[in-house]
Amino acid sequence: MSETRKILTADEALGLLLSHAGPLEEIESIHTTHALGRVLAQDLVSDVTVPPLDNSAMDGYAVNTGDFSDHESRLRVAQRIPAGSVGHALEAGTVARIFTGAPIPPGADAVVMQEDCRVEGDAVIFAKPPVAGAHIRRAGEDIARGQTVLLAGGRFRAQEMGLAASIGLVDVPVFRRLRVALFFTGDEIVMPGEPLAEGEIYNSNRYTLLGLLEGLGCKVADFGIVPDNLDATVAVLEQASHEADLVLTSGGVSVGEEDHIRSAVERVGHLDMWKIAMKPGKPLAYGKARGTHFIGLPGNPVSAFVTFCLFVRPFIQRCQGAHSVMPRSYLLPAEFVWNKPGMRREFLRARLIVKDDGAVGVEVFPNQGSGILSSAVWGEGLVEIRENSIVCKGEPVRFTPFTELLHA
Ligand code: AMP
Ligand code: MG
């Protein structure tokens, strides 16, 4: 419990958490069609040249610029090359009808687009000489044979899937999916679909965390709601830790006598509990339960959401083998006033305002309470307010969009 008493900054907490994260060792080969969101486990090197041959960028005529006079030229069409077939060497004084993607025949050094010439019988009339190299896509201008096209640690988006396919890969090597076991503590928590008795609330964290984990491509096992009781918490924790790489919980992580996460994790492993000088979300627990990573999030819905985005997401990404785990943020002028300086760093739910002239500013939700999940729905990202600081209207503030915080 070395870090228990110390209050950490958000940066220190993230640094500590990441120091415990390491990439999974198991690699699997999957169909390139299924690679979306997965992390590449080995560099991909191309065995082919893309495009394989010089080819036409236009529908038109492949020509030899040496056949042209300074003014109008009339040249005979001697062959036709659609995409997928190969022509033969251009005879002097002739041109080839050619289509987009078709290989440039030997002897041709430019393509004239069909819009720039006129056909008369079997001849084509060109108003002016073309420039050598015009409308030719060169062999290898996208990818050379032997080139590393994708680096290990990168995540597949649609365009990486396409690029892997463009070098002919049927399968790609990726890290296996991270298995995350979830459970939720609280005698007051019930599942939607169940009747809500007095004093009870619905388990919204389950849905928020499922969405966040699925967005990161994790395999989730849900162990449900666990009552505020030590033995019950230990029992579920033991089972969850057997089946997962990471056990993630919400609630019960403070030091009240109804909070059992800390004692439960210490029974089956060890725990570092960190108080983080941030708002929302002060307590965050990290430890190992039977050798499995454990992260305990606070129960308040906004705290759970924000701490997941800022801490758990990069931790998971690091475990998934991703090389870049830090979200990008931008400085934008505040369209609000913040005159409540606090000792803790605040992460406000915020959204962009685009003005008539296209200038962008950022506004914040009026109620920043840690139970106000509507603020996260209204918002498009988080604004960071440094410790002990105020913000005047128009001052630059750091905005991190949810697009950088929610998904892979
Ligand atoms: P705790 O961290 O257990 O002290 O809970 C803090 C607050 O979050 C309490 O108001 C809880 O009712 C609420 N809370 C805890 N777990 C959940 C959950 N799964 N869904 C929604 N609210 C929760
Ligand atoms: Mg509780």
Side-chain angles (χ1 to χ4, degrees), residues 185-188 228 251-252 258-259:
T185 74
D187 286 341
E188 76 281 28
D228 288 321
E258 295 295 343
D259 295 318

Side-chain angles (χ1 to χ4, degrees), residues 5 46 69 105 155 187 193 200 230 321 346 355 357 360 387 402:
R5 269 160 211 94
S46 180
S69 62
R155 199 178 287 274
D187 286 341
E200 295 182 335
L230 180 58
E346 300 218 19
K355 301 194 198 141
D357 64 358
V360 179
E387 297 79 355
F402 285 147

Side-chain angles (χ1 to χ4, degrees), residues 8 12 37 61-62 78 82 87 98 117 136 140 148 172 200 204-205 229 233 290 295 316 348 391 406:
L8 306 176
E12 287 169 336
Y61 296 89
I98 198 164
C117 48
I136 293 180
T148 300
V172 286
E200 295 182 335
S204 64
N205 286 349
N229 160 307
T233 310
R290 299 222 177 282
I295 298 179
I316 285 178
L348 308 177
V391 174
L406 297 191

Side-chain angles (χ1 to χ4, degrees), residues 183-190 199-209 225 228 250-256 258-259 283 297-304 370-371 373:
F183 69 88
F184 309 88
T185 74
D187 286 341
E188 76 281 28
I189 312 299
V190 297
E200 295 182 335
I201 58 164
Y202 287 124
N203 184 4
S204 64
N205 286 349
R206 172 180 192 248
Y207 294 77
T208 309
L209 293 175
I225 298 165
D228 288 321
S250 89
V253 83
S254 306
V255 286
E258 295 295 343
D259 295 318
L297 299 176
N300 276 307
V302 178
S303 306
S370 59
L373 199 50

